[in-house]
Structure formats: C-alpha cells, structure tokens
Amino acid sequence: MIESSVILFVMLVAGALFIGSRLMAQNARRDPVALRARLHESLAWHEERLRLAKEKNWDYDMVSRIAGELAETQAQLARLNARPQPAAARERP
C-alpha cells in the first residue's frame, strides 16, 4: 500500500512539473519582452562563465561546451530580434 502511494505521489509531482513547465514556456512565447530579458541574462551569464573558464585554463571540452551554449543563446536572441514586432510594441516610446 505504501509503495503504490509513493508511486502515485511521484507521478502526480512529475505531472505537475510537466504542466508547469509547459505553461511557463507558453508564457515566454506570448511575452517577447520577458523572453528577451531572460536571453540577455543568459547571454551575460554565459559570457562570464566563458571568461572565467579561459582565465582559469579549464579543459578544452568545457570551454567549447560553454562557447557552444553562448553561441546558441546568441542565435536565439538574433532570431527573436529578427521577428516582426507587433504594432503595439512599435508604437511605444
């Protein structure tokens, strides 16, 4: 009986996390300003990590992985900036 309740609890928590992550992803797509802010924060964090990795002579694999994550973040930001802005966003000062 205890085992089944633990399994049920784990399944409920996993379902709640899945639904929560889907809602957050949908919210980010609806709010490009929040997505752009998150990408800028991520970009700054990756740049700092890369600087630190080079400064401390981390191994090549770690540095290349950080550089890849930085490039992916830059690409996401470029794709977001390339999207046409809605009329309401263009009219704001």
Side-chain angles (χ1 to χ4, degrees):
M1 181 68 183
I2 292 176
E3 294 86 5
S4 62
S5 62
V6 168
I7 291 172
L8 182 61
F9 176 74
V10 169
M11 290 176 63
L12 288 173
V13 169
L17 289 174
F18 176 75
I19 291 170
S21 67
R22 296 291 294 177
L23 290 174
M24 286 176 29
Q26 287 177 353
N27 192 23
R29 281 191 293 255
R30 283 189 217 138
D31 188 6
V33 175
L35 179 59
R36 184 173 283 116
R38 186 187 63 78
L39 285 173
H40 278 291
E41 288 174 7
S42 179
L43 186 66
W45 184 73
H46 280 88
E47 287 172 343
E48 178 61 24
R49 278 184 62 211
L50 186 60
R51 185 196 62 75
L52 181 66
K54 288 179 178 178
E55 181 181 297
K56 299 215 179 219
N57 289 329
W58 290 0
D59 66 343
Y60 175 78
D61 292 334
M62 181 64 87
V63 172
S64 65
R65 189 171 69 214
I66 295 170
E69 292 171 357
L70 177 64
E72 177 60 32
T73 303
Q74 289 170 334
Q76 288 176 355
L77 195 54
R79 283 192 299 270
L80 183 66
N81 288 334
R83 288 184 194 165
Q85 292 183 351
R90 286 190 300 247
E91 292 174 3
R92 281 191 260 174

